[in-house]
Amino acid sequence: MMISQFFVLSQRGDNIVFRDYRAEVPKGSTETFFRKVKFWKEDGNAEAPPIFNVDGVNYFHVKVVGLYFVATTRVNVSPSLVLELLQRIARVIKDYLGVLNEDSFRKNFVLVYELLDEVIDFGYVQTTSTEVLKSYVFNEPILIAPARLQPIDPAAIFTQGAKRMPGTAVTKSVVANDPSGRRREEIFVDIIEKISVTFSSSGYILTSEIDGTIQMKSYLSGNPEIRIALNEDLNIGRGGRSVYDYRSSSGSGVILDDCNFHESVRLDSFDSDRTLSLVPPDGEFPVMNYRMTQEFKPPFHVNTLIEEAGRLKAEVIIKIRAEFPSDIIANTITVQMPLPNYTSRASFELEHGATGQKTDFKETNKLLEWNLKKIVGGAEHTLRAKLTFSQEFHGNITKEAGPVSMTFTIPMHNVSKLQVKYLQIAKKSSTYNPYRWVRYVTQANSYVARI
Amino acid sequence: MAPPAASARYPSPSQPSGKSEVTDLKSQLRQLAGSRAPGVDDSKRDLFKKVISYMTIGIDVSSVFGEMVMCSATSDIVLKKMCYLYVGNYAKGNPDLSLLTINFLQRDCKDEDPMIRGLALRSLCSLRVPNLVEYLLGPLGSGLKDNNSYVRTIAVTGVLKLYHISASTCIDAEFPATLKSLMLHDSDAQVVANCLAALQEIWSLEASHSEEACREKESLLSKPLIYYFLNRIKEFNEWAQCLILELAVKYVPSDSNDIFDIMNLLEDRLQHANGAVVLATVKVFLQLTLSMTDVHQQVYERIKSPLLTLVSSGSPEQSYAILSHLHLLVVRAPFIFASDYKHFYCQYNEPSYVKKLKLEMLTAIANESNTYEIVTELCEYAANVDIEIARESIRAVGKIALQQYDVNAIVDRLLQFLEMEKDYVTAETLVLVKDLLRKHPQWSHDCISVVGGISSKNIQEPKAKAALIWMLGEYAQDMSDAPYILENLIENWEEEHSAEVRLHLLTAAMKCFFKRAPETQKALGIALAAGIADFHQDVHDRALFYYRVLQHDVHVAERVVSPPQQAVSAFADTQSSEIKDRIFDEFNSLSVIYQKPSYMFTDKEHRGPFEFSDEIGNIPITPETSSDIVPAQQYEANDKDLLLSTDEKDDNKGLSSNNGSAYTAPYENSNISSQMQELAISGPATSATTTQSSFDFDDLLGLGLTAAPAPTPSPPLLKLNPRASLDPRAFQQKWRQLPISLTQEFSVNPQGIAALTVPQSLIKHMQSHSIHCIASGGQAPNFKFFFFAQKEAEPSDYLTECIINSSSAKAQIKVKADEQSTSQAFATVFETALSKFGMP
């Protein structure tokens, strides 16, 4: 289970950090890796898989904020272990630097080396716990201004739309002190749900799934114990029924197909009262991951119509309706639809008085794109696109276009109805009352309507 | 190394103009070295950072080594760390200068701050300079006894580093024994985990030449030790848990209670958020229950949900790793996943490597109950913007059609693809329709009417063109214009670049000719002429052959080229089941990702310690030799190097002297035997060494060319060398190279089963029949043995895998032989020998 080297490359292929633990892999592995990834297929279509072998050296990589985190080894190791490790290294570095990007990386590379020395020794993982690492690492992070933060970070979703969220909170380093010299006592619990829905051409749901995470980031001093209470009517496992056997969700509570937990979580009273207890280590980590295929109400309804208008013209009408309460606002919505490849032109018509909407026809890959800054619950929006074809179409035009896919973020809304009922922090004194943030968000993972 | 960062925005690793920068650094460092001015540490930090950033981007800064060491006299721990990092990187290339660092590192190893002791020790051991190892012994010895656990964890890994620099120094200092005791008694979990990792590596490498190391390595798998680890597994961090689980996979449980105990201990590991922990646990469960069919199946049901959760909770890269393992399980036991097919639907935005896996899984689990839904879904992908995925989807539909009985609906869908009029869709579909017709000729009518409507001009891909041409030839009687389409294609012979297509054209023209001679004769003539003039050897040969056979007799030609159609019942699987089993045994490793057993992509010394990558698989192996049975020894079942690996080993045991024949090198066997074959057939042997050999050979074939001095009466026909020898490496190699020449199953008599309670006795028994055991393993009811035998006085080997199930009293053997023709004779000898087992 040992790795030979670890390195981080920028998008251009520059070494940002490079650590050789076992001196088994010949020089030039960074170039070999980069060339292979860049030119995986001659046509550049297919992405390089996360694991490949060149001349007996196995290369593992994950992409985080546009950087390649790479490990090499000659040994037949567990692939999950190495990929998990790479992801974890990225998380530890983020815990330290507050913001993870090329800039912060380059400013702090000595600190990163220091971390890497403690995370891995002679290729064997020692620890990836920010908590444990704190006592071995001495460099102070050089923080970069959060203003330069790009919304690439999943945590950045909270900085938009929801005013009561302190925008900088999630970009704080776990070790650095505030300029004031005082640390704010606070803890964040985020319920992040990624939903996948496929609608058939007639509009009914073919498949749907929620992949949720309860993520925690603690800035509490002294590591107090925490209790998280979930819905009392929460059930896990769908018994002997087939997983896709939908039934009415009325009154049956929240049913998770399955879930797993962070190693710090104790489940002593989980069966009786659905509470999780843990002493949160420093840094960001998932308390619980869950998966759910129980029927839920999809947040958006999509309706697409294609009408032929003469031999070289057609009109596409896309209608989206927000199926959530009007006090909820979805943001950064993108709707995409591939058009027939003989489409030469597309002209768009937005509804009257539309604001914050953008349309685009991407000529190279014949893609229609519609961006909306926000959608208020209950609202409906329509896009009309007039297409001009360079040749006469034959057969069925719907087979040449679509499907319509959507991405969006809906803060303060979760479709599973899983809730954190309360968050209890073991009190150190009567005056101890740290800030607790419980935040919900729903994001599209794969949201597709066939036409 | 990579070119320096092109951007000037980053001040630290900015572009150095070259050597002058390094020289500059050198003088600056020199200035600071002796300075005690306030703030000097800050200036040093900046300079050190610059040095390290150059190092990172690949600029050689080894020339400042001396200055760096001079500057290292500091109490600033951040500076020290940077200096250690630098030294570790360049020491190997500067052994002389490294000596300079020894002093301060040794001093730091005695610092009162445990952090500094640890760091210094780690750097000291990372110098990788062979002639400095003597300086390591003292600090390592005290590091292992340090009262601070941080120092001890580093010291333990330090021992492993020392072993890699100088194995003998490490062994002579008896560090492994110290590690063993630390592993059993230390209170710190990370120290224990590092001991386990280090000992596994050291003993695996030592095992090839030290029996003691073999025993030690095997002792790691003893019941008390395994339970010692498993009972306190939660004290270890997740990475160390993986290490322990990897160890537990190799443990051979004593009985079914043992199995259930372990599974209960590990049950909650399946709920871990770390995929590596879950997969390692899954592997333990799968391997433990291999011989318990029902429980094994329950394990599949149990692990399904956690794995699916991991697939959807991690990054795309992590899901890929998990999905690859699910893929393996799905292909092994499709029926268990049949109702979960929707989980394997492709998502719109998934990378294509994930989609490919999912398509294969959907293909595997399609059965009567879900085929309709799966095929409907796959048809959606055929319109995918990603052309490669669209192709794969169509292929998947085709594969499903080929594995189903009721293909009615699928044929309709395939034919609809043709109507989409996309080149690549049509191309893929044609290939499929061709395969489908080969298997289900009854569909020809429906297909041909549609295929006939396709204009051959629109088809450019050779495979598709070949498929169309094949259909034109095969179904010429049903397609009215087949001869004319062929004629058209033949007229453009010169423009046809693919030899495959030209070959098909020749054959199709012939077939068409037999069915519709008047219309095709002219075209056939042109085709044959063009073919004979073709520069491609195969095309030329085929054309010439057709021409001659037609000249000889047209009816014969028809029988040869266009025999009555026969439906193909099964298409050859691309991977043998043996390879698949091997990949399954290597669950939770790269083998699963690459879909190849490890010997195909790793060289042997990197296959990892403690890895089982052999066909012997999950069963630990007890190697046996004819002269010396060491029952307690268990060896890792690696590919080439398993068992008693090296030649010295043989020498030690005097094995080679056992072999009376002159042919000691087993890999020369095939040469020699073929040489002998010639001799035997051409007449009396001339060489003294081969005379004797040829007796048996002739005898066996019943040639009787030479008068055998003592002809063996049949049966047994085959006489085996009682003192045969074969080193395990050669066994391994042969086992891989040779095909299975014979598989047989027979019953074992009850006495034999009774005697099998001591598996060693079977080994001795078979040995008395000149069949030698090379490895054995397993526990009731499944025993597995690998035997070899050699023909008397002739180095022709028989390799046998024998699986005995004591509850069903059946033995199954697989024989691989140098001379396949005699494997039946050998099997008879084997069965006779086995039947006498347990008899008084």
Side-chain angles (χ1 to χ4, degrees):
Chain A
M1 54 170 272
M2 61 271 193
I3 65 162
S4 196
Q5 301 169 321
F6 169 83
F7 50 88
V8 178
L9 299 187
S10 75
Q11 259 163 332
R12 299 181 304 277
D14 305 331
N15 285 12
I16 297 179
V17 288
F18 177 87
R19 190 81 177 88
D20 196 333
Y21 292 104
R22 290 184 70 107
E24 297 166 332
V25 171
K27 275 211 161 64
S29 54
T30 55
E31 286 97 330
T32 309
F33 166 80
F34 193 68
R35 250 198 320 274
K36 201 78 189 168
V37 164
K38 274 282 153 190
F39 308 106
W40 183 252
K41 279 255 168 89
E42 296 312 315
D43 55 6
N45 250 343
E47 266 180 81
I51 304 167
F52 52 81
N53 180 306
V54 183
D55 299 331
V57 178
N58 302 296
Y59 294 85
F60 300 76
H61 77 278
V62 302
K63 263 179 110 168
V64 184
V65 296
L67 303 172
Y68 294 101
F69 283 65
V70 191
T72 65
T73 178
R74 302 188 79 104
V75 184
N76 190 13
V77 292
S78 157
S80 287
L81 187 137
V82 180
L83 292 173
E84 191 87 37
L85 171 67
L86 291 174
Q87 207 75 46
R88 217 60 81 74
I89 291 176
R91 199 196 289 160
V92 168
I93 296 174
K94 180 174 177 274
D95 282 344
Y96 265 85
L97 305 186
V99 178
L100 187 63
N101 61 24
E102 189 172 337
D103 196 16
S104 67
F105 231 108
R106 287 192 187 268
K107 282 212 166 69
N108 289 286
F109 70 99
V110 176
L111 167 62
V112 174
Y113 274 124
E114 207 186 347
L115 286 168
L116 288 177
D117 254 2
E118 301 297 337
V119 169
I120 300 168
D121 196 5
F122 206 50
Y124 288 99
V125 191
Q126 301 296 303
T127 180
T128 49
S129 152
T130 305
E131 177 83 26
V132 176
L133 285 166
K134 256 166 86 173
S135 44
Y136 307 134
V137 171
F138 297 91
N139 272 291
E140 288 270 330
I142 302 163
L143 301 177
I144 63 162
R148 293 163 72 182
L149 173 73
Q150 308 241 309
I152 24 171
D153 186 326
I157 52 184
F158 297 111
T159 60
Q160 305 164 357
K163 272 191 207 120
R164 62 195 196 83
M165 295 301 146
T168 56
V170 281
T171 61
K172 266 195 337 191
S173 163
V174 291
V175 287
N177 289 323
D178 273 356
S180 63
R182 272 187 34 234
R183 274 181 54 154
R184 187 144 90 145
E185 291 286 313
E186 56 187 344
I187 181 166
F188 294 84
V189 178
D190 299 334
I191 294 90
I192 304 170
E193 294 189 344
K194 294 188 174 168
I195 57 174
S196 299
V197 182
T198 307
F199 297 95
S200 76
S201 50
S202 42
Y204 71 90
I205 298 171
L206 282 172
T207 61
S208 66
E209 182 169 306
I210 302 171
D211 301 317
T213 301
I214 300 180
Q215 189 151 297
M216 185 177 275
K217 192 161 188 181
S218 161
Y219 296 93
L220 302 178
S221 55
N223 302 91
E225 185 176 320
I226 284 176
R227 281 178 91 77
I228 299 175
L230 305 175
N231 311 38
E232 274 161 28
D233 56 0
L234 182 73
N235 281 300
I236 294 166
R238 294 173 68 93
R241 277 163 297 134
S242 153
V243 170
Y244 275 94
D245 173 18
Y246 296 117
R247 51 178 202 162
S248 161
S249 50
S250 59
S252 60
V254 177
I255 304 171
L256 306 180
D257 289 43
D258 185 51
C259 57
N260 61 39
F261 301 94
H262 187 260
E263 58 181 349
S264 66
V265 177
R266 280 186 289 111
L267 298 167
D268 308 339
S269 55
F270 186 69
D271 282 339
S272 57
D273 61 3
R274 298 300 181 209
T275 60
L276 308 169
S277 56
L278 68 154
V279 175
D282 281 341
E284 188 177 285
F285 66 97
V287 175
M288 168 180 170
N289 295 307
Y290 57 92
R291 182 167 54 83
M292 186 169 141
T293 49
Q294 187 187 15
E295 191 179 351
F296 62 90
K297 194 172 183 189
F300 288 100
H301 187 260
V302 186
N303 199 342
T304 312
L305 205 70
I306 303 187
E307 281 174 344
E308 296 163 17
R311 293 183 314 162
L312 286 169
K313 283 188 191 313
E315 187 177 30
V316 175
I317 302 159
I318 304 174
K319 225 178 243 172
I320 46 177
R321 194 171 62 240
E323 307 265 0
F324 44 85
S326 56
D327 57 337
I328 303 285
I329 302 170
N331 58 43
T332 52
I333 302 105
T334 302
V335 182
Q336 288 187 323
M337 175 177 169
L339 299 173
N341 58 11
Y342 40 78
T343 310
S344 58
R345 223 156 46 83
S347 61
F348 299 98
E349 194 182 305
L350 288 168
E351 62 217 337
H352 187 66
T355 53
Q357 297 190 25
K358 256 191 348 202
T359 52
D360 193 12
F361 170 57
K362 295 206 160 35
E363 184 87 45
T364 44
N365 45 4
K366 309 290 180 193
L367 193 69
L368 173 158
E369 196 173 287
W370 178 22
N371 295 293
L372 299 97
K373 266 209 178 99
K374 58 179 188 179
I375 299 180
V376 181
E380 186 175 279
H381 296 280
T382 310
L383 171 75
R384 287 166 182 275
K386 290 193 160 58
L387 312 181
T388 311
F389 301 139
S390 58
Q391 67 180 68
E392 278 183 48
F393 59 86
H394 30 64
N396 194 342
I397 192 169
T398 55
K399 284 232 188 280
E400 309 275 329
V404 176
S405 62
M406 275 185 89
T407 58
F408 51 79
T409 298
I410 316 175
M412 301 322 291
H413 181 64
N414 74 330
V415 286
S416 71
K417 299 194 173 68
L418 179 91
Q419 278 183 306
V420 171
K421 292 283 182 195
Y422 62 83
L423 178 66
Q424 203 176 63
I425 303 171
K427 272 197 179 166
K428 287 192 283 195
S429 70
S430 55
T431 55
Y432 183 67
N433 195 14
Y435 294 93
R436 296 158 228 214
W437 306 99
V438 178
R439 311 179 294 185
Y440 296 86
V441 70
T442 298
Q443 283 180 300
N445 182 20
S446 161
Y447 204 85
V448 173
R450 292 180 176 156
I451 58 169
Chain B
M1 280 287 163
S7 161
R9 273 190 299 141
Y10 308 108
S12 33
S14 63
Q15 256 175 316
S17 52
K19 276 192 178 161
S20 64
E21 299 259 338
V22 180
T23 325
D24 207 32
L25 266 180
K26 199 175 171 127
S27 65
Q28 284 180 307
L29 279 168
R30 192 161 285 180
Q31 274 173 15
L32 286 179
S35 166
R36 289 192 194 283
V40 70
D41 276 353
D42 285 344
S43 329
K44 278 187 188 171
R45 276 196 189 192
D46 286 345
L47 280 178
F48 275 32
K49 263 190 197 173
K50 216 173 237 176
V51 171
I52 288 170
S53 77
Y54 285 179
M55 191 176 94
T56 300
I57 57 179
I59 293 167
D60 184 9
V61 280
S62 60
S63 58
V64 299
F65 201 102
E67 286 74 15
M68 286 293 280
V69 175
M70 281 195 281
C71 282
S72 62
T74 172
S75 54
D76 181 10
I77 196 159
V78 173
L79 268 180
K80 262 191 201 300
K81 281 192 166 191
M82 285 197 266
C83 188
Y84 293 155
L85 179 68
Y86 173 87
V87 167
N89 227 23
Y90 287 112
K92 201 174 181 190
N94 300 278
D96 299 336
L97 285 169
S98 302
L99 202 55
L100 293 174
T101 63
I102 293 281
N103 243 333
F104 82 83
L105 285 174
Q106 274 187 327
R107 197 177 53 239
D108 283 355
C109 282
K110 292 182 187 133
D111 199 282
E112 57 185 26
D113 182 352
M115 193 66 58
I116 294 190
R117 291 204 297 275
L119 290 170
L121 186 57
R122 184 191 287 150
S123 304
L124 196 58
C125 298
S126 304
L127 293 179
R128 294 179 196 143
V129 181
N131 53 1
L132 298 182
V133 287
E134 53 190 296
Y135 298 101
L136 295 186
L137 297 176
L140 266 181
S142 36
L144 290 172
K145 287 191 224 95
D146 203 290
N147 56 12
N148 185 288
S149 61
Y150 178 72
V151 182
R152 291 199 303 278
T153 44
I154 289 173
V156 171
T157 311
V159 169
L160 183 59
K161 292 174 186 167
L162 169 65
Y163 177 81
H164 280 273
I165 306 166
S166 167
S168 55
T169 316
C170 180
I171 302 294
D172 292 344
E174 297 194 331
F175 279 135
T178 317
L179 293 196
K180 190 176 179 185
S181 112
L182 268 181
M183 179 174 77
L184 297 175
H185 305 293
D186 204 284
S187 56
D188 185 89
Q190 196 55 40
V191 174
V192 174
N194 283 4
C195 285
L196 176 60
L199 286 176
Q200 284 196 351
E201 224 185 301
I202 293 173
W203 282 335
S204 298
L205 290 166
E206 283 294 296
S208 62
H209 52 265
S210 152
E211 284 189 27
E212 196 198 333
C214 287
R215 271 194 300 279
E216 291 287 9
K217 202 180 106 185
E218 185 216 335
S219 74
L220 288 177
L221 295 172
S222 68
K223 186 167 180 174
L225 200 64
I226 293 287
Y227 277 83
Y228 164 76
F229 282 124
L230 291 183
N231 280 323
R232 48 188 292 209
I233 193 161
K234 281 172 209 164
E235 294 168 26
F236 294 88
N237 73 28
E238 49 201 317
W239 312 106
Q241 289 184 11
C242 294
L243 193 70
I244 291 168
L245 291 166
E246 279 293 307
L247 181 76
V249 165
K250 281 147 234 161
Y251 169 67
V252 185
S254 49
D255 53 27
S256 57
N257 286 335
D258 205 5
I259 293 176
F260 290 122
D261 285 348
I262 293 178
M263 287 173 54
N264 286 325
L265 273 175
L266 297 179
E267 165 68 25
D268 62 353
R269 296 298 90 194
L270 291 173
Q271 274 195 344
H272 204 288
N274 185 332
V277 174
V278 176
L279 277 185
T281 311
V282 166
K283 183 171 186 181
V284 174
F285 279 31
L286 288 174
Q287 295 291 3
L288 280 178
T289 57
L290 262 187
S291 57
M292 312 161 88
T293 320
D294 292 353
V295 188
H296 194 63
Q297 199 156 321
Q298 283 171 24
V299 168
Y300 272 84
E301 295 284 358
R302 173 69 187 86
I303 62 184
K304 207 158 73 174
S305 211
L307 289 180
L308 287 170
T309 305
L310 288 171
V311 168
S312 48
S313 60
S315 68
E317 295 92 358
Q318 287 160 299
S319 348
Y320 171 67
I322 306 283
L323 202 63
S324 301
H325 285 84
L326 260 175
H327 174 269
L328 175 78
L329 297 176
V330 163
V331 172
R332 255 184 109 77
F335 55 97
I336 292 181
F337 296 88
S339 61
D340 304 293
Y341 61 94
K342 284 195 180 181
H343 286 291
F344 309 127
Y345 281 4
C346 295
Q347 286 179 355
Y348 191 63
N349 48 359
E350 278 170 336
S352 49
Y353 52 79
V354 168
K355 286 183 179 164
K356 271 187 193 157
L357 277 180
K358 287 190 164 178
L359 289 175
E360 284 175 32
M361 291 158 95
L362 286 172
T363 314
I365 57 177
N367 65 12
E368 282 128 65
S369 64
N370 58 24
T371 295
Y372 180 79
E373 274 91 357
I374 291 179
V375 171
T376 307
E377 181 73 13
L378 289 173
C379 290
E380 290 285 342
Y381 307 154
N384 199 299
V385 278
D386 182 345
I387 293 178
E388 193 47 42
I389 292 303
R391 284 174 183 274
E392 294 277 355
S393 310
I394 298 166
R395 277 177 223 150
V397 174
K399 276 188 208 147
I400 292 173
L402 287 176
Q403 70 201 19
Q404 302 277 314
Y405 292 105
D406 178 22
V407 289
N408 206 336
I410 304 182
V411 172
D412 281 352
R413 306 279 182 83
L414 277 178
L415 297 178
Q416 278 172 15
F417 286 150
L418 294 178
E419 290 163 10
M420 283 171 63
E421 298 195 21
K422 283 190 181 173
D423 300 347
Y424 58 89
V425 175
T426 311
E428 288 296 337
T429 312
L430 278 176
V431 175
L432 286 176
V433 170
K434 177 205 68 181
D435 286 343
L436 203 60
L437 288 178
R438 288 172 64 201
K439 189 171 179 190
H440 304 285
Q442 67 270 28
W443 289 104
S444 63
H445 198 73
D446 304 62
C447 297
I448 289 314
S449 59
V450 181
V451 172
I454 298 171
S455 162
S456 60
K457 288 187 194 70
N458 294 343
I459 298 158
Q460 293 308 323
E461 289 173 37
K463 280 221 165 343
K465 217 167 183 177
L468 179 66
I469 292 170
W470 181 86
M471 286 186 272
L472 287 168
E474 199 67 40
Y475 298 97
Q477 72 280 15
D478 303 323
M479 285 191 270
S480 57
D481 48 0
Y484 308 102
I485 300 173
L486 284 173
E487 191 173 333
N488 247 324
L489 289 165
I490 289 166
E491 277 167 5
N492 293 322
W493 186 276
E494 293 302 320
E495 284 132 59
E496 189 48 68
H497 299 296
S498 157
E500 185 190 3
V501 174
R502 299 202 298 276
L503 284 169
H504 273 277
L505 261 181
L506 282 173
T507 310
M510 287 287 277
K511 286 180 183 166
C512 192
F513 172 74
F514 297 129
K515 286 159 191 145
R516 299 167 69 173
E519 292 159 286
T520 326
Q521 195 171 9
K522 180 168 153 252
L524 179 62
I526 301 170
L528 288 177
I532 290 167
D534 203 284
F535 65 92
H536 194 278
Q537 192 64 49
D538 290 348
V539 179
H540 167 81
D541 287 357
R542 187 178 290 188
L544 199 60
F545 167 70
Y546 284 166
Y547 177 71
R548 287 186 176 149
V549 76
L550 280 171
Q551 243 183 351
H552 169 71
D553 184 339
V554 177
H555 296 287
V556 171
E558 180 168 7
R559 282 214 306 277
V560 171
V561 180
S562 192
Q565 284 173 10
Q566 270 185 333
V568 180
S569 57
F571 288 85
D573 205 339
T574 46
Q575 240 176 9
S576 74
S577 62
E578 213 174 319
I579 292 207
K580 284 183 189 158
D581 284 349
R582 209 182 245 241
I583 297 172
F584 180 72
D585 288 338
E586 295 174 0
F587 192 85
N588 195 22
S589 79
L590 290 168
S591 313
V592 178
I593 305 284
Y594 301 147
Q595 302 185 11
K596 281 179 196 163
S598 62
Y599 71 81
M600 291 188 181
F601 62 89
T602 33
D603 31 71
K604 78 170 169 48
E605 74 260 39
H606 293 300
R607 224 157 284 157
F610 268 78
E611 216 155 279
F612 285 74
S613 52
D614 193 65
E615 47 265 86
I616 308 157
N618 50 353
I619 307 177
I621 298 304
T622 316
E624 320 292 349
T625 67
S626 50
S627 59
D628 182 10
I629 294 171
V630 189
Q633 285 180 4
Q634 292 195 332
Y635 292 80
E636 83 183 45
N638 248 336
D639 233 10
K640 281 187 231 154
D641 55 336
L642 91 166
L643 318 179
L644 298 167
S645 40
T646 60
D647 297 333
E648 304 104 78
K649 190 83 190 175
D650 290 356
D651 291 343
N652 290 346
K653 302 206 165 180
L655 270 187
S656 31
S657 62
N658 280 345
N659 194 336
S661 101
Y663 309 112
T664 42
Y667 32 84
E668 283 171 15
N669 281 354
S670 54
N671 268 340
I672 291 164
S673 61
S674 68
Q675 183 194 342
M676 267 182 319
Q677 199 161 359
E678 273 166 35
L679 284 173
I681 289 165
S682 64
T686 44
S687 142
T689 40
T690 48
T691 313
Q692 219 212 323
S693 314
S694 50
F695 288 156
D696 284 47
F697 188 82
D698 297 339
D699 186 39
L700 189 74
L701 294 186
L703 293 178
L705 285 178
T706 25
T712 330
S714 52
L717 209 60
L718 194 68
K719 230 180 139 190
L720 299 172
N721 178 1
R723 306 174 71 77
S725 83
L726 183 63
D727 84 79
R729 190 183 297 246
F731 184 94
Q732 286 288 298
Q733 214 158 2
K734 277 201 163 179
W735 185 258
R736 254 203 335 272
Q737 286 162 353
L738 293 170
I740 294 178
S741 55
L742 184 105
T743 307
Q744 224 170 49
E745 196 178 82
F746 35 78
S747 305
V748 182
N749 58 42
Q751 293 92 328
I753 294 299
L756 203 60
T757 45
V758 188
Q760 293 301 334
S761 57
L762 176 68
I763 292 162
K764 288 215 171 92
H765 170 82
M766 295 307 277
Q767 199 181 318
S768 68
H769 289 79
S770 306
I771 297 170
H772 310 276
C773 184
I774 197 145
S776 70
Q779 75 273 343
N782 279 310
F783 297 91
K784 194 167 182 177
F785 302 88
F786 283 88
F787 291 107
F788 74 94
Q790 215 165 51
K791 256 203 222 171
E792 173 86 275
E794 184 184 336
S796 169
D797 294 327
Y798 301 95
L799 314 184
T800 309
E801 178 203 271
C802 173
I803 299 170
I804 301 180
N805 184 306
S806 58
S807 59
S808 65
K810 287 266 191 284
Q812 197 204 43
I813 61 167
K814 283 186 191 141
V815 180
K816 300 188 176 188
D818 284 335
E819 281 173 63
Q820 300 201 17
S821 54
T822 58
S823 43
Q824 183 58 54
F826 172 75
T828 315
V829 174
F830 191 94
E831 188 180 352
T832 316
L834 189 63
S835 67
K836 290 182 189 143
F837 178 49
M839 298 297 190

